[in-house]
Amino acid sequence: MQAFARTDTGCVRAMNQDSYYFSLEPVGPLPNLFIVADGMGGHQAGDYASRYAIEVFLDFMKSSEGDNKIKLLDKGIALANSKVYEKSCTDSSLTGMGTTFVAAYIDGTELYVANIGDSRLYMAGSELNQVTEDHSYVAAMVKAGELTREQARFHPDKNVITRALGVADSVKADFFEVDLMPDDRILLCSDGLSNMVDDENIFRILKENTPQEAADLLINQANAAGGLDNITAIVIAPEIKEVSE
């Protein structure tokens, strides 16, 4: 397996409120781990929310035991949510902070994903597939048939999310399981990338380049398109082996 991650402030924002983590080695009971979090909040609150959520989640996973990895993933996210929310309630400089949170791990030929907010996980196989579902106002409009995906990319309310980690005392994550095939590529990213680079270019870049080259190209394209937000990408080449019959 190969993976590479990169984050960039973009061309407009003064601060990078995105955070990421990845490990190709086990993290507690998880065989590997990939996380992107896109923080929100005034001053440095968004930056703190994304970093702190990842830190709490990692501390939980590293000290956890058990075979039910999805249940542990859920518990770790719930703990991160409660800790971020507690901080926002007790520190006036952090009031109202929150973060998206997309986490994934690969176990054999299966990919397991948890998601809150509008940071995304894409799978590039024979075509590009957005595995996660955005918890956002415009995503609900696309699902209802009121907008196309292309119209949603440029909608003035595209950054309004309907679910985030740390803004309430509890939150529900969505979970996904995907079969992996040889030559698949995986992308975890913040909306600073997905709002600026279209699906056709995301797919082409993922399939034609190494993880490091792809991450660099995707961020460069997002900046070339305006870089209106912070941009984070983790690109993974699982390198699944062909199964002989």
Side-chain angles (χ1 to χ4, degrees):
M1 189 188 309
Q2 298 181 52
F4 186 81
R6 184 181 159 194
T7 190
D8 190 273
T9 304
C11 302
V12 175
R13 300 292 176 89
M15 175 183 294
N16 192 344
Q17 296 190 328
D18 288 0
S19 298
Y20 72 83
Y21 172 88
F22 83 89
S23 173
L24 299 179
E25 300 301 320
V27 178
L30 303 182
N32 44 70
L33 181 60
F34 310 89
I35 305 171
V36 167
D38 178 358
M40 60 185 190
H43 304 291
Q44 298 187 19
D47 169 61
Y48 183 90
S50 62
R51 285 187 293 106
Y52 186 51
I54 291 176
E55 289 171 7
V56 172
F57 181 83
L58 289 177
D59 286 345
F60 172 81
M61 293 308 307
K62 288 175 181 177
S63 62
S64 295
E65 296 179 354
D67 295 329
N68 193 329
K69 300 180 181 67
I70 294 298
K71 188 173 182 179
L72 291 173
L73 205 63
D74 194 26
K75 284 186 174 181
I77 291 171
L79 179 63
N81 179 80
S82 65
K83 292 292 187 181
V84 172
Y85 181 63
E86 180 183 341
K87 285 281 188 182
S88 75
C89 293
T90 56
D91 186 335
S92 60
S93 68
L94 302 176
T95 299
M97 71 174 174
T99 184
T100 69
F101 198 88
V102 57
Y105 68 90
I106 296 167
D107 196 351
T109 61
E110 300 294 318
L111 171 70
Y112 298 91
V113 187
N115 182 60
I116 297 169
D118 64 353
S119 293
R120 295 178 177 178
L121 186 144
Y122 290 97
M123 172 79 70
S126 58
E127 60 184 10
L128 188 69
N129 175 35
Q130 182 184 331
V131 175
T132 53
E133 295 182 6
D134 295 350
H135 301 136
S136 70
Y137 174 67
V138 296
M141 294 176 71
V142 171
K143 196 169 186 178
E146 298 171 12
L147 288 176
T148 66
R149 281 177 62 88
E150 190 63 18
Q151 288 171 332
R153 286 184 60 225
F154 301 101
H155 195 281
D157 294 326
K158 66 179 181 293
N159 293 324
V160 179
I161 60 175
T162 56
R163 199 186 306 178
L165 185 152
V167 299
D169 58 2
S170 64
V171 70
K172 180 181 180 295
D174 289 345
F175 291 88
F176 308 88
E177 180 179 348
V178 182
D179 295 328
L180 294 172
M181 301 294 291
D183 300 322
D184 281 349
R185 294 292 184 270
I186 300 163
L187 168 67
L188 289 80
C189 66
S190 59
D191 67 340
L193 193 159
S194 56
N195 283 338
M196 305 305 296
V197 185
D198 63 32
D199 287 359
E200 182 180 349
N201 277 318
I202 290 175
F203 179 71
R204 177 182 56 80
I205 289 169
L206 290 175
K207 296 296 282 188
E208 294 179 359
N209 298 279
T210 67
Q212 180 171 351
E213 292 167 343
D216 288 340
L217 285 167
L218 286 166
I219 286 180
N220 291 345
Q221 280 216 1
N223 276 324
L228 302 180
D229 200 352
N230 308 144
I231 314 156
T232 300
I234 302 177
V235 181
I236 310 161
E239 298 180 340
I240 301 300
K241 303 298 184 184
E242 292 276 7
V243 178
S244 57
E245 296 184 4

